[in-house]
Amino acid sequence: MNLEIKNVSKTLPEYRQVIDLVKNSFPKEEQYPIWLLKLWALKKNVHFWAYYQNDEFCGVSYLVSHEDMTFVLYLAVNNQVQSKGYGSAILETLKEKFSGKNITLNIERLDPSADNYEQRVKRLKFYKKNGFYDTDYTIHNY
């Protein structure tokens, strides 16, 4: 699957849909203000991308690259096309674009008492299926 990448900007016809996807896909405490994301994305090592297949909006990512690492701050698939392979296609696209770099991301801790425990387990399985692995590092945000 070959995805087309477009920089996220107000000129995108799906701009509102992209922003809504970012806002609705992540917990409030993990969200940066959109104006700040757009400001940071002006830097050459920061990428705020929307993904398309045949002009259909499939997903979004927000990435920061430095030296030999690319950090995926956000990755979300459009709800209307979930479970159709687009998440895996986005990750494959990132692996191609950032060949030779370590691609790193965070997921929520697998806490059996969490309301979305099943979703967390599913997310970890998804990333493992796509060649990622758990480093067993834990980050605590205060």
Side-chain angles (χ1 to χ4, degrees), residues 91-121:
L91 290 175
E92 277 307 309
T93 301
L94 295 180
K95 288 177 190 178
E96 290 170 15
K97 288 271 184 205
F98 299 102
S99 177
K101 289 185 180 244
N102 293 309
I103 299 175
T104 308
L105 52 87
N106 294 333
I107 62 169
E108 294 172 297
R109 183 171 57 93
L110 296 185
D111 178 0
S113 65
D115 291 340
N116 68 340
Y117 176 70
E118 291 81 17
Q119 181 186 45
R120 293 177 186 201
V121 170

Side-chain angles (χ1 to χ4, degrees), residues 3-6 8 18 47-53 55-63 75-76 86 89-91 93-94 97-98:
L3 298 179
E4 181 183 1
I5 298 173
K6 297 180 183 179
V8 172
V18 170
H47 310 283
F48 195 4
W49 288 338
Y51 298 85
Y52 294 82
Q53 177 72 33
D55 294 325
E56 181 176 28
F57 170 60
C58 300
V60 63
S61 69
Y62 195 93
L63 317 157
L75 186 146
Y86 291 112
I90 291 171
L91 290 175
T93 301
L94 295 180
K97 288 271 184 205
F98 299 102

Side-chain angles (χ1 to χ4, degrees), residues 14-25:
E14 300 80 15
Y15 177 75
R16 188 74 249 155
Q17 193 178 0
V18 170
I19 299 308
D20 288 345
L21 180 59
V22 171
K23 286 183 176 180
N24 295 324
S25 296

